[in-house]
Amino acid sequence: MYFTSLYYYKNLFIIELIISEFLYCFNLKKKDKFILRFALITAICIIVGFAIPIFYNDAIFSSIMFLSLFLMTIPLLKFCYDEPWINIIFCALASYTTQHLAYVTSNLATSLISWGKSPMVDIYHNSSNGIFTFDGYFIAWVLTYLGCYFIIYLVTFILFAKKINKSENMKVKNLTLLLLIACGLLVNIVLNMISIYNPHNATTNIVECIYNFLCCVLLLYGQFSLLHTKELENELSFVKKLWHQEKEQYQISRDNIDLLNIKCHDIKHQIRQIGKNKSISEDVVKEIENSISLYDSIVKTGNNVLDIILTEKNLYCKKNQIILTYIADGAKLNFMNEGDIYALFGNALDNAIEAVVKIKETEKRIIELKIHTVNNLLTINIRNSFDGSVIFDESGLPKTTKEDSSYHGYGVKSISMIVDKYDGNVSFKTNNKMFSVNILIPLQ
């Protein structure tokens, strides 16, 4: 049973698997002379495929053979890509699942066309290569086979493979679940082999194909959900780190402003004493006092944290010719954590300042802040003028305009997370060159 249909198909399987692995590793970091390396591993895989004889034609031998061929490709992929082992294994696992999904789809399509008589199953039962005879039936099968593999590979590349980024750490937190997904794929393949080698009717074959198809889809979805969950965990960790830094910054700002006001008060007192002694003229004294008053203009809203933020931002705005106006009942914020208040308004005002400083006409640099209550709702509205355009993502959050978006855009996400923490709602809108952040939080 050396030159059986299965003998030839295992070589076709290697080509299918290598193509799938190439698609999933498409965005990975390639080593020097990649084309030569990839051509070499392809040749090695094909040679090994031809060299492996078919000792037994049963479910156990076939399962072990295909699994061994798959495991052989993992170190060969490492030879081509400059990535950690976990990244290689992750992509290889997804590739095998996709190859099996394409096989099942092809089997299902040919089974539906001929109602159970699928060449994909006949491969395992023919003791010769008679299945590969060039007739109309064979041509129809080839076209169906190529069409199914092309569609599955294209769809999975768009939905899954494109989401894999170069040098991304794919080490997921829940390794147990990833191992279960790998075991699920193994069980699915073994059960498929057992089903193939046991006699069954056309209806059973079609039902089994549908079952295998759904299993492969769920395995791929579960595997990449782990990757997405890891990204969300990293993002949450980064935002929490920002909150911690902002809390420390709040303490520094509060101390600095307190120190500044003490110094300003002392200087004004000393100037008055000098003025009384007639050392300098009264006009000069008033002029100096007015200059110092710029730094002695503590904002009083009823909330100490908001006072510090507005005082700090007000000084910056005056220096950069930005019109900052505010009508704020800060006492309504007292139920919120100090760190949350600083992060919420600090990020919102920083984003507004960043937008208005880009406007050339200084008279158009406007920022407005309003905080008041309506019934049992705390309403916060922050508006600012802007130049250019604002693009929103699918979740309604404005996208960063900075070229490197890797570490930007977290201010907006931080605002959303803080509002969500207090069971509130936040929306971002633009109208007549004014960008607005509208927040509603139920009062506690």
Side-chain angles (χ1 to χ4, degrees):
M1 295 182 65
Y2 192 91
F3 293 103
T4 62
S5 299
L6 180 59
Y7 172 80
Y8 292 103
Y9 174 69
K10 68 176 172 14
N11 301 295
L12 183 61
F13 163 80
I14 291 174
I15 296 174
E16 296 168 357
L17 183 60
I18 289 175
I19 293 173
S20 181
E21 288 175 339
F22 176 77
L23 293 175
Y24 275 94
C25 297
F26 186 79
N27 290 329
L28 298 186
K29 186 179 180 182
K30 301 172 179 64
K31 291 184 177 180
D32 294 336
K33 299 179 182 179
F34 169 76
I35 297 177
L36 183 61
R37 288 172 181 265
F38 199 84
L40 180 61
I41 71 164
T42 303
I44 292 173
C45 289
I46 293 175
I47 291 171
V48 172
F50 273 103
I52 296 177
I54 304 298
F55 292 111
Y56 303 100
N57 195 359
D58 57 22
I60 296 177
F61 178 82
S62 296
S63 299
I64 294 174
M65 179 183 67
F66 286 120
L67 180 62
S68 299
L69 291 172
F70 162 67
L71 294 176
M72 174 189 67
T73 63
I74 295 177
L76 294 177
L77 287 174
K78 179 64 176 173
F79 174 72
C80 291
Y81 296 94
D82 189 14
E83 295 282 348
W85 277 104
I86 185 63
N87 292 12
I88 300 295
I89 294 172
F90 187 95
C91 292
L93 182 62
S95 302
Y96 196 9
T97 307
T98 299
Q99 183 278 329
H100 191 63
L101 175 62
Y103 164 81
V104 170
T105 305
S106 178
N107 189 11
L108 176 61
T110 52
S111 296
L112 289 173
I113 293 172
S114 58
W115 193 248
K117 186 182 178 183
S118 171
M120 306 301 292
V121 175
D122 292 341
I123 288 173
Y124 295 88
H125 295 286
N126 277 285
S127 58
S128 66
N129 60 342
I131 190 173
F132 297 105
T133 54
F134 292 92
D135 54 14
Y137 181 73
F138 175 76
I139 294 173
W141 169 68
V142 169
L143 293 176
T144 304
Y145 159 82
L146 292 174
C148 290
Y149 272 79
F150 176 78
I151 292 172
I152 293 299
Y153 280 17
L154 178 63
V155 171
T156 52
F157 177 76
I158 294 172
L159 294 180
F160 300 109
K162 282 184 68 176
K163 295 179 180 179
I164 297 175
N165 299 318
K166 184 184 295 185
S167 300
E168 179 183 13
N169 183 10
M170 298 177 197
K171 186 177 180 181
V172 296
K173 232 177 184 181
N174 198 336
L175 291 175
T176 303
L177 190 54
L178 181 62
L179 182 61
L180 287 175
I181 290 173
C183 291
L185 174 61
L186 176 62
V187 170
N188 189 29
I189 291 171
V190 172
L191 290 178
N192 179 66
M193 287 295 175
I194 295 174
S195 171
I196 287 174
Y197 282 99
N198 283 278
H200 52 273
N201 57 36
T203 304
T204 304
N205 182 46
I206 292 172
V207 171
E208 288 173 348
C209 286
I210 295 173
Y211 168 78
N212 283 328
F213 178 89
L214 293 176
C215 284
C216 289
V217 172
L218 289 174
L219 288 171
L220 274 176
Y221 179 78
Q223 185 177 348
F224 279 85
S225 292
L226 287 176
L227 200 60
H228 180 62
T229 301
K230 174 180 169 293
E231 292 174 355
L232 293 178
E233 288 174 347
N234 290 341
E235 189 172 283
L236 179 61
S237 176
F238 189 81
V239 171
K240 285 182 177 179
K241 187 176 180 180
L242 284 181
W243 286 358
H244 181 70
Q245 292 175 347
E246 286 162 348
K247 184 177 181 180
E248 292 178 346
Q249 180 62 37
Y250 160 63
Q251 297 292 341
I252 294 171
S253 298
R254 183 178 64 181
D255 294 342
N256 287 343
I257 289 176
D258 288 344
L259 181 62
L260 180 64
N261 280 291
I262 291 172
K263 292 296 182 182
C264 288
H265 182 270
D266 291 343
I267 292 172
K268 287 169 74 174
H269 178 73
Q270 292 170 7
I271 290 172
R272 290 194 190 99
Q273 290 298 116
I274 294 172
K276 288 179 180 178
N277 296 332
K278 305 297 182 181
S279 299
I280 55 178
S281 67
E282 190 70 24
D283 292 337
V284 174
V285 170
K286 287 183 179 180
E287 185 178 346
I288 295 174
E289 283 187 342
N290 290 334
S291 299
I292 294 174
S293 295
L294 174 65
Y295 300 96
D296 194 27
S297 54
I298 271 285
V299 177
K300 297 293 183 182
T301 64
N303 181 276
N304 292 332
V305 182
L306 185 62
D307 294 345
I308 290 172
I309 296 170
L310 288 177
T311 300
E312 188 178 39
K313 303 307 177 186
N314 194 33
L315 292 173
Y316 182 89
C317 288
K318 287 181 178 180
K319 180 180 177 181
N320 291 274
Q321 297 179 292
I322 299 172
I323 303 171
L324 172 62
T325 60
Y326 44 86
I327 302 174
D329 185 0
K332 301 298 182 182
L333 302 173
N334 289 337
F335 69 93
M336 295 178 65
N337 177 272
E338 288 187 349
D340 293 339
I341 296 173
Y342 190 85
L344 175 65
F345 290 96
N347 281 312
L349 289 173
D350 282 343
N351 290 341
I353 290 171
E354 184 180 340
V356 298
V357 293
K358 297 177 181 177
I359 302 175
K360 294 181 179 179
E361 300 88 344
T362 55
E363 67 276 5
K364 293 183 179 180
R365 296 177 179 177
I366 300 171
I367 300 176
E368 301 173 353
L369 169 65
K370 294 180 181 178
I371 303 173
H372 60 281
T373 57
V374 177
N375 297 326
N376 288 324
L377 286 176
L378 172 67
T379 66
I380 302 169
N381 177 256
I382 303 170
R383 300 173 70 241
N384 65 269
S385 53
F386 68 94
D387 195 10
S389 60
V390 178
I391 301 175
F392 295 89
D393 61 19
E394 59 277 2
S395 60
L397 299 179
K399 291 185 177 181
T400 179
T401 57
K402 298 176 181 176
E403 293 183 3
D404 179 15
S405 59
S406 302
Y407 298 100
H408 301 296
Y410 285 100
V412 171
K413 293 176 182 177
S414 176
I415 293 171
S416 299
M417 291 179 66
I418 293 170
V419 173
D420 186 63
K421 176 181 176 180
Y422 294 94
D423 300 321
N425 176 266
V426 58
S427 62
F428 305 88
K429 297 180 181 178
T430 58
N431 185 30
N432 295 328
K433 288 296 181 180
M434 292 293 290
F435 178 85
S436 61
V437 181
N438 301 300
I439 299 171
L440 293 175
I441 298 177
L443 290 174
Q444 299 180 4

